[in-house]
């Protein structure tokens, strides 16, 4: 790789971008102008509107049903409220026309005074305040009236106590004092830390998206990509040069945004310096955030460069960029949510980790270990993303992709073809939505019956119907073939090491992302509340048949042309998503890969069905009877496998797998590839 050529490409792309007025305006000018206009402008407008609201006249109607000394006193006190007027009395009090006056904002509140007697014989005045919460003037009027009535109440109580010669201090049983140990700078960081991560992440994605879509997809559209490809620079050098260009422009944009935000906040605080007590913005925190944004910038740059490389034009690139932007928006909003703290688990989740880390930096309470994990995990993802970009740029079929995308007519001319990726994805999404909305409702009403109906009516029945409608050969499609009887014995033996390995994986997930106790209790209640035979039928047999017919029978055939292993992995990922369980998604996906391997190795769906049944049955039996077996009670600690069990489990699994592969040697992957 020639770094001199990379530098030439880098300079050329930067020069082209800086010649583009759109790039200069969106990436350089707007950050400098936008924040002062927004922050200072909105701050001034808010102050002005608040002052204007304070000075506006408030008109209320007072209906006094008491007409005694106390009610007259209340009317007099209300008249003393600044900018508040009481409208003249009406002959007949009726709330209906007053409601209309409130709705059209002619008046701001209605106060209806009535009285009653307490059990002690003292008068209790009942003040009903009718107002419009959606109107700022009406809400402000309500607050002023309620504050004034609270003052009058305290005065009346004090006068009553004086009459019976009791000191008012007897009412003070608890004196509440509040002491906030957080310094002003930390309070400021707490406020900024909520929206700053969200803002920076969205700006990073949007600025990188603008540049990346122009660098490759834009060149395809302008027919200039071929010119640069015939230059002396190699494909890898072109990718790195464009990649560095995206990083540079994005970092400049982030730097200008941070600088502009800092100056804007500084200007606002300087105006209110007397109220803020000379509070200073944490410039060191802003600088650290800028440095830490570099790995995130490189990640998004590589990801968006891959999208731009795959796209045929800028419009298509922008459509593919939208899920990235929406995903970034949703994940970055974690900084707004209470209860989310940066932990080892969250430090591994892209975007979420940076959002929480930036918030902690603004609070001045971040840990170096978390910072290291966040940066390291992002760099690993960055390497993977840039590798994908280079692979795409070296693939002629992708780089010069000219075929139009298929429309929503997924079947095309052949209405019976239900084995296209487009139709398969659509069918999967429909099934997933049905599982969530319909199956979820059934299971909420009655868990056991709901599970049975879900498996049969939502998973199995639509799969069989779609195969029947397409007039597919169900026996051939589902691979309802005979297999070596020894396979069933080996599957039972393999279920034991697989159970241990999956259990250890769940324990590791629990360390990184603690599983709620309510989650485990719900599973335990499910297996304990019904008979063992019904449990085996609902949790093991039905899922084994219905889910395997859907995934290893139909879905895996949808992606068969992509290659055996690709079809296995894609189907397994969809299998994991289909369970709608973030804690079990990784183990279930790995089990899906295992089921797919069994299917192609034996060329029979009977083995994946039996393996699914065996794994679920074994987990169910151990969960139900482990505490009744003295041997398991001694080994299992708090229901968990010792981690050293992983070594013999792997050895046993490999040994049995070799026997399994030898028995099914005639149905190996190589033979299937020749079909």
């Amino acid at each position: 790789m020639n770094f001199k050529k990379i530098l030439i490409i880098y300079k050329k792309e930067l020069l082209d971008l800086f010649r583009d007025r759109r790039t200069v305006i969106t990436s350089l000018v707007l950050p400098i102008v936008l924040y002062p206009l927004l922050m200072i402008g909105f701050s001034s407008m808010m102050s002005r509107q608040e002052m204007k609201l304070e000075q506006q006249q408030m008109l209320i109607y007072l209906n006094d049903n008491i007409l005694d000394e106390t009610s007259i006193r209340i009317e007099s006190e209300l008249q003393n409220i600044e900018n508040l007027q009481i409208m003249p009395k009406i002959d007949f009090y009726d709330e209906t026309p007053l409601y209309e006056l409130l709705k059209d904002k002619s008046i701001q509140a209605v106060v209806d005074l009535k009285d009653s007697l307490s059990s002690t014989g003292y008068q209790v005045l009942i003040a009903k305040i009718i107002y419009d919460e959606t109107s700022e003037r009406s809400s402000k009027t309500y607050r002023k009236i309620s504050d004034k009535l609270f003052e009058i109440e305290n005065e009346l109580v004090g006068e009553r106590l004086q009459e019976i010669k009791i000191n008012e201090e007897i009412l003070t049983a608890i004196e509440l004092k509040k002491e906030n140990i957080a310094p002003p700078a930390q309070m400021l960081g707490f406020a900024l830390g909520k929206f700053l991560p969200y803002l920076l992440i969205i700006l990073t994605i949007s600025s990188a998206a603008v540049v990346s879509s122009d660098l490759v997809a834009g060149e395809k559209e302008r027919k200039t990509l071929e010119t640069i490809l015939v230059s002396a620079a190699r494909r890898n050098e072109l990718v790195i040069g464009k990649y560095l260009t995206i990083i540079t422009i994005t970092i400049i944009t982030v730097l200008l945004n941070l600088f502009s935000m800092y100056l804007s906040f500084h200007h606002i605080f300087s105006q209110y310096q007397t109220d803020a007590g000379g509070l200073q913005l944490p410039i060191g925190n802003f600088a650290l955030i800028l440095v830490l944004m570099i790995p995130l910038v490189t990640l998004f740059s590589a990801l968006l460069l891959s999208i731009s490389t795959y796209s045929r034009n800028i419009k298509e690139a922008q459509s593919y960029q939208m899920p990235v932007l929406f995903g970034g928006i949703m994940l970055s909003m974690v900084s707004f949510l209470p209860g989310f703290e940066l932990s080892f688990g969250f430090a591994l989740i892209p975007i979420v980790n940076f959002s929480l880390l930036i918030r902690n930096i603004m609070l001045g309470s971040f840990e170096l270990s978390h910072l290291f994990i966040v940066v390291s995990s992002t760099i690993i993802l960055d390497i993977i993303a840039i590798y994908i970009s280079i692979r795409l740029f070296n693939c002629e079929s992708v780089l010069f992709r000219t075929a139009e995308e298929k429309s929503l007519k997924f079947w095309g001319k052949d209405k019976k073809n239900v084995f296209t990726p487009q139709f398969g994805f659509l069918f999967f999404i429909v099934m997933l939505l049905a599982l969530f909305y319909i199956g979820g409702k059934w299971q909420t009403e009655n868990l056991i019956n709901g599970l049975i109906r879900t498996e049969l009516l939502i998973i199995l029945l639509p799969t069989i119907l779609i195969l029947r409608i397409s007039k597919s050969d169900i026996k051939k499609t589902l691979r309802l073939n005979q297999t070596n009887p020894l396979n069933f014995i080996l599957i039972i033996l393999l279920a034991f090491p697989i159970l241990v390995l999956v259990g250890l994986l769940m324990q590791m997930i629990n360390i990184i992302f603690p599983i709620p106790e309510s989650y485990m209790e719900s599973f335990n209640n499910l297996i304990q509340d019904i008979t063992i035979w019904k449990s085996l039928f609902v949790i093991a047999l039905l899922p084994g048949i219905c889910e395997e017919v859907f995934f290893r029978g139909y879905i895996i055939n949808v992606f068969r042309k992509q290659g055996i292993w690709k079809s296995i992995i894609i189907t397994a990922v969809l299998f994991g998503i289909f369970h709608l369980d973030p804690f079990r998604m990784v183990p279930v996906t790995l089990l899906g890969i295992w089921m797919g391997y069994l299917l192609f190795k034996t060329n029979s769906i009977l083995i994946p069905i039996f393996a699914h049944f065996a794994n679920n049955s074994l987990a169910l039996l151990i969960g139900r009877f482990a505490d009744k077996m003295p041997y398991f009670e001694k080994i299992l600690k708090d229901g968990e496998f010792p981690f050293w069990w992983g070594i013999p489990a792997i050895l046993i699994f490999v040994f049995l797998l070799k026997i399994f592969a030898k028995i099914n040697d005639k149905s190996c992957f190589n033979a299937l590839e020749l079909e």
Side-chain angles (χ1 to χ4, degrees):
M1 188 176 293
N2 192 322
F3 289 98
K4 185 177 180 180
K5 292 179 182 178
I6 292 175
L7 187 60
I8 293 172
I9 297 295
Y10 172 62
K11 289 180 179 179
K12 177 258 181 191
E13 298 293 355
L14 275 182
L15 185 61
D16 289 345
L17 286 173
F18 281 120
R19 286 173 178 169
D20 186 5
R21 287 181 297 176
R22 294 174 301 173
T23 304
V24 173
I25 291 173
T26 56
S27 301
L28 305 180
V29 177
L30 279 181
I32 299 175
V33 177
L34 190 61
Y35 290 109
L37 287 178
L38 288 177
M39 295 184 182
I40 299 173
F42 275 119
S43 176
S44 302
M45 288 174 61
M46 287 174 61
S47 300
R48 183 180 176 184
Q49 289 300 113
E50 186 69 25
M51 186 181 299
K52 184 179 178 180
L53 190 61
E54 284 287 345
Q55 294 173 351
Q56 284 181 339
Q57 290 292 326
M58 294 171 285
L59 182 63
I60 70 169
Y61 181 80
L62 177 64
N63 180 46
D64 188 355
N65 295 301
I66 307 172
L67 295 176
D68 63 359
E69 182 181 348
T70 302
S71 65
I72 294 172
R73 178 178 176 180
I74 288 175
E75 182 175 358
S76 176
E77 291 287 347
L78 291 178
Q79 288 176 339
N80 292 332
I81 297 177
E82 187 178 1
N83 299 324
L84 187 142
Q85 293 181 353
I86 300 177
M87 66 180 290
K89 305 288 184 183
I90 57 178
D91 295 334
F92 180 76
Y93 176 72
D94 185 6
E95 290 184 351
T96 304
L98 292 173
Y99 284 160
E100 297 299 324
L101 292 174
L102 276 170
K103 288 179 181 178
D104 62 21
K105 298 178 174 55
S106 298
I107 63 175
Q108 279 65 60
V110 176
V111 181
D112 185 25
L113 297 180
K114 296 179 181 179
D115 66 341
S116 179
L117 290 176
S118 67
S119 58
T120 58
Y122 283 99
Q123 181 191 39
V124 176
L125 189 141
I126 302 172
K128 179 183 178 183
I129 305 175
I130 306 170
Y131 74 107
D132 184 1
E133 182 69 33
T134 61
S135 169
E136 291 185 359
R137 287 180 64 191
S138 184
S139 297
K140 196 168 190 65
T141 304
Y142 166 77
R143 289 192 296 271
K144 287 192 173 185
I145 294 172
S146 60
D147 291 344
K148 179 59 69 175
L149 291 175
F150 182 72
E151 292 177 10
I152 297 172
E153 181 190 20
N154 288 337
E155 293 174 0
L156 291 173
V157 171
E159 291 170 3
R160 290 178 182 179
L161 290 174
Q162 287 180 2
E163 289 177 4
I164 58 177
K165 298 180 180 180
I166 296 177
N167 195 322
E168 293 182 36
E169 293 182 357
I170 196 172
L171 297 178
T172 307
I174 298 176
E175 184 176 354
L176 181 63
K177 292 184 178 181
K178 183 172 67 173
E179 181 183 358
N180 182 11
I181 63 170
Q186 192 172 7
M187 291 300 298
L188 174 63
F190 177 75
L192 295 179
K194 285 185 175 294
F195 72 89
L196 185 61
Y198 169 81
L199 195 59
L200 284 177
I201 290 171
I202 300 309
L203 285 169
T204 300
I205 299 174
S206 58
S207 58
V210 171
V211 180
S212 62
S213 61
D214 184 72
L215 284 184
V216 184
E219 287 190 340
K220 289 182 182 181
E221 192 172 332
R222 294 188 296 268
K223 309 296 183 182
T224 58
L225 183 62
E226 290 82 356
T227 305
I228 195 172
L229 288 175
V230 297
S231 65
R234 297 165 59 187
R235 296 282 179 92
N236 295 0
E237 295 162 353
L238 292 174
V239 174
I240 300 299
K242 292 177 180 293
Y243 178 53
L244 293 176
T245 304
I246 300 172
I247 293 173
T248 302
I249 298 296
T250 308
I251 288 177
I252 291 173
T253 305
V254 172
L255 177 60
L256 288 175
N257 277 283
L258 275 173
F259 181 70
S260 182
M261 276 191 285
Y262 177 81
L263 292 181
S264 302
F265 281 123
H266 189 272
H267 178 78
I268 293 173
F269 278 102
S270 64
Q271 289 183 329
Y272 303 99
Q273 191 168 5
T274 54
D275 297 331
L279 183 64
Q280 296 294 323
L281 284 169
I283 188 171
N285 291 349
F286 275 86
L288 179 58
I289 289 171
L290 175 63
V291 174
L292 292 176
M293 285 297 294
I294 294 175
L296 191 64
V297 167
T298 57
L299 174 61
F300 283 126
S301 299
L303 179 61
L304 294 168
L305 180 60
S306 299
I307 291 175
S308 181
T309 304
Y310 179 78
S311 304
R312 291 176 291 112
N313 49 51
I314 292 178
K315 183 179 178 181
E316 185 177 339
Q318 290 173 344
S319 65
Y320 292 148
Q321 289 168 356
M322 290 307 295
V324 179
L325 181 60
F326 284 136
I329 290 173
M330 298 303 295
L331 293 176
S332 61
M333 288 179 68
V334 71
S335 60
F336 290 98
L337 303 177
F340 281 87
E341 297 293 337
L342 186 59
S343 61
F344 178 74
F346 285 128
L348 297 173
I349 302 178
I351 303 179
V352 171
N353 51 13
F354 270 93
S355 184
L356 296 176
L357 179 61
I358 292 172
R359 188 180 69 179
N360 287 357
I361 289 173
M362 294 305 298
L363 284 169
S365 59
F366 68 93
E367 297 182 14
L368 288 176
S369 59
H370 290 157
L371 187 149
F372 176 77
I373 295 171
V374 170
V375 173
S376 301
S377 61
T378 306
I379 290 175
I380 292 172
L381 292 175
D382 185 23
I383 294 171
I384 296 172
I386 191 60
Y387 173 76
I388 293 172
S389 296
I390 293 173
R391 287 290 301 271
L392 289 174
F393 211 84
N394 281 279
C395 182
E396 298 288 336
S397 61
V398 172
L399 198 60
F400 298 104
R401 190 171 63 92
T402 57
E404 292 288 336
E405 292 295 323
K406 294 183 179 180
S407 67
L408 292 176
K409 297 179 180 179
F410 292 99
W411 281 325
K413 295 181 180 179
D414 186 4
K415 304 297 183 183
K416 296 180 181 179
N417 186 11
V418 297
F419 296 101
T420 63
Q422 292 88 352
F423 183 82
F425 270 121
L426 177 65
F427 186 65
F428 172 78
I429 291 171
V430 171
M431 296 279 277
L432 187 66
L433 293 175
L435 174 68
F436 182 76
Y437 289 106
I438 302 175
K441 183 176 181 296
W442 288 345
Q443 294 170 32
T444 301
E445 294 172 352
N446 188 309
L447 182 58
I448 302 302
N449 292 338
L451 287 171
I452 295 173
R453 293 165 70 185
T454 298
E455 293 289 344
L456 293 176
L457 301 181
I458 294 181
I459 299 176
L460 181 62
L461 182 61
T463 306
I464 299 299
L465 285 177
I466 204 69
L467 294 176
R468 293 289 297 174
I469 291 171
S470 64
K471 296 183 179 180
S472 301
D473 186 340
I474 293 181
K475 182 177 180 181
K476 182 179 178 181
T477 301
L478 298 182
R479 292 183 172 86
L480 294 171
N481 303 320
Q482 293 182 354
T483 185
N484 193 325
L486 291 176
N487 286 331
F488 294 96
I489 299 174
L490 286 171
I491 289 301
I492 294 175
L493 297 176
L494 281 162
F496 288 93
I498 288 174
L499 177 69
V500 173
L501 294 174
V502 170
L504 292 175
L505 180 58
M506 284 294 294
Q507 290 169 202
M508 292 174 64
I509 292 173
N510 188 34
I511 294 172
I512 301 173
F513 302 102
I515 300 174
E517 292 184 4
S518 57
Y519 175 91
M520 301 304 299
E521 288 177 1
S522 62
F523 177 76
N524 291 331
N525 293 336
L526 172 64
I527 63 177
Q528 296 293 340
D529 292 345
I530 57 177
T531 63
I532 184 61
W533 298 111
K534 195 170 186 178
S535 297
L536 288 171
F537 176 74
V538 174
I539 299 175
L541 182 61
L542 272 183
I545 297 173
C546 302
E547 293 175 14
E548 290 308 308
V549 167
F550 177 40
F551 285 98
R552 255 61 63 178
Y554 170 68
I555 293 293
I556 205 165
N557 286 304
V558 167
F559 304 101
R560 179 65 182 81
K561 292 182 179 179
Q562 308 294 324
I564 290 178
W565 276 111
K566 283 187 179 180
S567 64
I568 289 174
I569 293 172
I570 294 172
T571 303
V573 171
L574 296 179
F575 182 59
I577 295 172
F578 195 76
H579 282 73
L580 298 173
D581 189 340
F583 298 107
R584 290 195 300 144
M585 183 175 175
V586 174
V588 170
T589 300
L590 294 176
L591 285 174
I593 294 174
W594 170 240
M595 305 299 176
Y597 169 81
L598 294 177
L599 175 74
F600 284 118
K601 196 65 178 174
T602 61
N603 198 29
S604 172
I605 199 173
L606 300 178
I607 294 303
I609 289 175
F610 186 72
H612 198 144
F613 168 76
N615 289 334
N616 287 13
S617 298
L618 189 58
L620 174 65
L621 293 172
I622 291 179
R624 181 135 184 182
F625 299 112
D627 56 343
K628 299 175 183 178
M629 300 178 184
Y631 177 74
F632 272 100
E633 275 193 329
K634 291 179 181 178
I635 297 177
L636 296 180
K637 297 180 179 179
D638 299 325
E640 294 186 347
F641 293 110
F643 278 97
W644 64 266
W645 275 32
I647 298 174
I650 293 173
L651 295 175
I652 294 172
F653 176 79
V654 171
F655 174 74
L656 293 174
L657 187 62
K658 287 184 177 181
I659 299 175
F660 177 81
K662 188 174 182 180
I663 291 175
N664 299 280
D665 186 53
K666 293 182 180 180
S667 298
C668 64
F669 281 42
N670 293 333
L672 289 171
E673 289 286 7
L674 297 175
E675 288 182 356

